[in-house]
Amino acid sequence: MSAFKRYGLALLIGVTASLPANGNAQSMPPEQIKQILDVTKASWVSFRDWNGQQLIYFTHLESWKCGIDYVFYGLNDGPLDQMWELDECDPSNPNAVLKDKPYIELPMGSTQSISVQLIYPDGTKSPVERFEYTGQ
């Protein structure tokens, strides 16, 4: 296991250990959510082929929506000119994903990559992360 993975795993374990006993993250400081999102950035979005369409899921980001103000994305190395609208944060159930469709639907084979950038409540921005479609 690489040092980064060990550090990331230790950070994630440490953050989740600091959650209240009932698992409710309502009082999690925004800085901890930023750290979780940084460690889990490989999971921000995922591709899926389904019924002749290409789906790009934002489920992971929806589950951490209480620590994100905006999600901007661009397809196929284009500009970050589209915004994923997160559900409103419910402090009593902060990690719930209640959206009927936590994904975008695109024609099969139309998207080779998606780039994503997060804007946090303190106004800071994440680095732009690029995710490649690898086929299903």
Side-chain angles (χ1 to χ4, degrees):
M1 182 182 289
S2 72
F4 176 77
K5 286 184 180 177
R6 274 194 303 274
Y7 170 76
L9 182 58
L11 176 64
L12 191 56
I13 290 170
V15 167
T16 55
S18 68
L19 292 176
N22 66 2
N24 189 334
Q26 69 183 7
S27 61
M28 183 179 285
E31 189 58 36
Q32 283 185 330
I33 294 175
K34 285 170 66 172
Q35 290 174 344
I36 289 169
L37 287 164
D38 183 55
V39 171
T40 62
K41 62 187 164 196
S43 300
W44 284 2
V45 297
S46 60
F47 287 90
R48 180 179 185 204
D49 294 340
W50 181 255
N51 283 341
Q53 293 189 308
Q54 191 175 36
L55 309 180
I56 302 177
Y57 281 83
F58 290 83
T59 313
H60 185 75
L61 297 177
E62 283 290 337
S63 70
W64 293 105
K65 64 189 164 284
C66 291
I68 305 169
D69 269 0
Y70 302 100
V71 176
F72 290 100
Y73 68 93
L75 303 175
N76 296 326
D77 297 319
L80 302 176
D81 61 354
Q82 298 179 68
M83 187 172 80
W84 174 258
E85 290 200 32
L86 295 163
D87 272 347
E88 192 170 321
C89 173
D90 177 359
S92 65
N93 198 5
N95 300 105
V97 178
L98 302 175
K99 216 173 234 212
D100 286 339
K101 291 186 175 184
Y103 54 85
I104 55 175
E105 300 173 80
L106 302 163
M108 184 67 75
S110 66
T111 305
Q112 288 71 50
S113 68
I114 182 171
S115 297
V116 178
Q117 184 173 46
L118 309 180
I119 311 296
Y120 299 106
D122 64 4
T124 60
K125 299 177 180 180
S126 73
V128 175
E129 298 295 334
R130 186 175 184 275
F131 303 87
E132 289 192 40
Y133 173 73
T134 58
Q136 304 297 329

